């Protein structure tokens, strides 16, 4: 397709720093998409883009967002900042809600004329985690790229004159294409193609280094496991995971749901206030992928007593 070729040609002419920036940006976006797909919302006003509830909570400095009604009676979602009044714990009681097109509402109160959603109970965003893992994944990708280049068979030939160089270049080119090559004088034979070697070859690569790629791949999987496990997904594609006992795996599952459960409680509190202020019947739940993981956690990761308690608590 011409359209794809157009964008690919543009990528080819980028500088090395620009390509690195794009690759890091893509890693960050992939991690952000994973994290912000954790919840699904139902029953909210049609104009509310619920994706931005997660974007605002995960990325903005105050790690919270809010919904208010503008003078026209339309519900507006924006990122929230402090409105000046704090309670005895240093938590804002009054907020200012701002949108990306400069619409704002000052002096709103959660549960009275607005609904505020915090990202978690510590009121912090996910920028540090996203940035840290983006940097680590980029370092692994860079190391793999360098190692693959170094592990290639890359001989450099020292030859006598330009004529022999041209013949050797053509012979190597034909070899890459799987084609035979014919020469008409003794030029190539002088450098050893007809018997004893008679040239110096400098080997710039080390083909044995290719064995080290598997360790980088394993570390890449370990990073994925660390990131996914932190947010409830028990990712097990690593060599170390295969050596874990059933008790260790269950322990990982239990720990991995601390953060998702806390995030869900904050959003449930937000939806409760939203329904009270704006007279809706909205709800929030885990998305399908997380719900499947949560059901597996309930069935395999906890004891029967814990499972019964959680089922009663959820009801």
């Amino acid at each position: 397709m011409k359209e794809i070729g157009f964008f690919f040609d543009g990528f080819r002419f980028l500088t090395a720093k620009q390509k690195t920036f794009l690759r890091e940006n893509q890693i960050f976006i992939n991690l952000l998409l994973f994290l912000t797909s954790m919840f699904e919302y139902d029953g909210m006003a049609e104009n509310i883009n619920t994706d931005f509830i997660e974007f605002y909570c995960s990325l903005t400095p105050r790690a919270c967002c809010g919904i208010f009604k503008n003078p026209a009676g339309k519900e507006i979602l924006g990122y929230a900042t402090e409105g000046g009044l704090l309670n005895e714990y240093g938590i804002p009681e009054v907020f200012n809600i701002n949108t990306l097109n400069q619409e704002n509402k000052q002096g709103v109160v959660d549960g009275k004329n607005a609904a505020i959603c915090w990202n978690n109970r510590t009121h912090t965003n996910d920028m540090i985690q996203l940035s840290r893992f983006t940097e680590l994944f980029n370092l692994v990708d860079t190391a793999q790229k360098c190692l693959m280049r170094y592990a290639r068979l890359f001989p450099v030939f020292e030859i006598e004159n330009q004529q022999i160089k041209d013949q050797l270049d053509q012979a190597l080119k034909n070899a890459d294409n799987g084609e035979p090559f014919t020469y008409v004088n003794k030029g190539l034979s002088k450098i050893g193609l007809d018997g004893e070697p008679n040239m110096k070859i400098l080997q710039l690569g080390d083909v044995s280094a290719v064995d080290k790629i598997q360790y980088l791949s394993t570390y890449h999987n370990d990073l994925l496991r660390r990131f996914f496990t932190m947010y409830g997904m028990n990712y097990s594609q690593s060599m170390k995971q295969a050596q874990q006992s059933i008790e260790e795996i269950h322990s990982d599952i239990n720990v991995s749901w601390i953060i998702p459960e806390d995030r869900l409680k904050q959003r449930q509190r937000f939806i409760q206030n939203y329904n009270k202020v704006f007279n809706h019947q909205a709800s929030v739940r885990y998305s399908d992928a997380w719900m499947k993981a949560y059901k597996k956690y309930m069935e395999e990761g906890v004891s029967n007593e814990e499972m019964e308690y959680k089922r009663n608590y959820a009801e």
Side-chain angles (χ1 to χ4, degrees):
M1 295 176 61
K2 291 183 178 180
E3 294 83 358
I4 296 177
F6 171 79
F7 290 110
F8 179 75
D9 288 341
F11 183 79
R12 284 193 306 162
F13 292 103
L14 295 176
T15 65
K17 288 186 177 181
Q18 289 172 329
K19 290 180 179 179
T20 299
F21 171 78
L22 287 178
R23 292 190 182 102
E24 282 195 349
N25 188 57
Q26 189 60 56
I27 294 172
F28 183 91
I29 288 174
N30 288 342
L31 296 177
L32 179 63
L33 287 175
F34 164 82
L35 183 58
T36 55
S37 66
M38 186 179 295
F39 304 107
E40 290 186 0
Y41 298 83
D42 297 304
M44 303 188 74
E46 293 183 0
N47 65 289
I48 298 296
N49 187 336
T50 57
D51 292 338
F52 279 82
I53 296 175
E54 300 306 313
F55 292 151
Y56 288 144
C57 286
S58 296
L59 300 177
T60 58
R62 211 54 178 95
C64 65
C65 64
I67 296 177
F68 68 94
K69 272 190 178 181
N70 65 10
K74 181 181 179 181
E75 294 177 18
I76 302 296
L77 169 67
Y79 62 94
T81 58
E82 297 176 8
L85 185 62
L86 305 179
N87 65 13
E88 64 271 25
Y89 303 106
I91 299 174
E93 291 185 339
V94 178
F95 296 85
N96 300 327
I97 301 178
N98 313 274
T99 68
L100 298 180
N101 65 350
Q102 306 304 314
E103 188 172 359
N104 65 81
K105 176 73 172 180
Q106 297 184 351
V108 301
V109 178
D110 187 22
K112 292 186 177 181
N113 60 346
I116 301 297
C117 180
W118 292 100
N119 189 40
N120 48 51
R121 73 173 68 182
T122 61
H123 300 174
T124 53
N125 60 39
D126 300 293
M127 280 294 295
I128 293 178
Q129 295 287 16
L130 291 169
S131 299
R132 182 165 66 94
F133 277 93
T134 295
E135 182 180 8
L136 289 173
F137 280 118
N138 185 60
L139 288 173
V140 172
D141 289 346
T142 301
Q144 286 180 322
K145 179 181 178 181
C146 294
L147 185 57
M148 291 179 68
R149 284 182 172 179
Y150 179 71
R152 291 184 300 180
L153 187 63
F154 191 67
V156 177
F157 301 91
E158 181 182 338
I159 47 103
E160 296 180 357
N161 54 57
Q162 185 64 39
Q163 180 185 8
I164 297 177
K165 176 184 180 303
D166 293 341
Q167 292 181 352
L168 183 59
D169 287 343
Q170 186 60 49
L172 293 173
K173 180 179 179 181
N174 285 27
D176 287 340
N177 297 326
E179 301 173 354
F181 177 70
T182 303
Y183 60 94
V184 295
N185 56 37
K186 288 291 185 178
L188 288 181
S189 65
K190 290 179 181 179
I191 64 173
L193 297 185
D194 62 346
E196 294 296 325
N198 188 27
M199 65 175 140
K200 294 181 181 179
I201 302 177
L202 176 63
Q203 182 58 255
L204 297 184
D206 181 7
V207 294
S208 64
V210 73
D211 296 338
K212 306 299 187 296
I213 294 179
Q214 63 176 318
Y215 298 110
L216 289 173
S217 297
T218 300
Y219 182 56
H220 181 274
N221 286 338
D222 285 341
L223 285 177
L224 284 176
R225 185 172 69 89
R226 286 169 55 188
F227 184 79
F228 290 163
T229 300
M230 186 167 28
Y231 294 105
M233 292 296 187
N234 188 28
Y235 183 81
S236 60
Q237 299 299 313
S238 72
M239 296 173 64
K240 183 180 183 301
Q241 187 75 3
Q243 303 169 3
Q244 287 184 306
S245 66
I246 298 299
E247 290 77 10
E248 289 175 322
I249 293 175
H250 284 177
S251 177
D252 284 349
I253 294 175
N254 291 337
V255 171
S256 72
W257 280 95
I258 293 176
I259 293 178
E261 288 282 76
D262 177 64
R263 287 163 60 88
L264 178 61
K265 288 179 182 178
Q266 298 299 319
R267 284 150 181 81
Q268 288 174 334
R269 186 178 293 112
F270 159 66
I271 289 298
Q272 182 179 3
N273 284 336
Y274 173 78
N275 290 335
K276 181 179 71 172
V277 173
F278 301 106
N279 194 27
H280 288 289
Q281 296 296 321
S283 61
V284 60
R285 59 182 175 84
Y286 288 123
S287 63
D288 291 343
W290 262 270
M291 184 58 69
K292 290 178 182 179
Y294 183 74
K295 289 180 179 179
K296 186 176 181 180
Y297 157 62
M298 292 293 291
E299 293 171 358
E300 300 179 8
V302 296
S303 65
N304 291 334
E305 292 80 9
E306 291 174 315
M307 187 183 303
E308 186 65 26
Y309 170 80
K310 280 188 169 291
R311 283 173 178 167
N312 293 336
Y313 179 80
E315 292 173 357

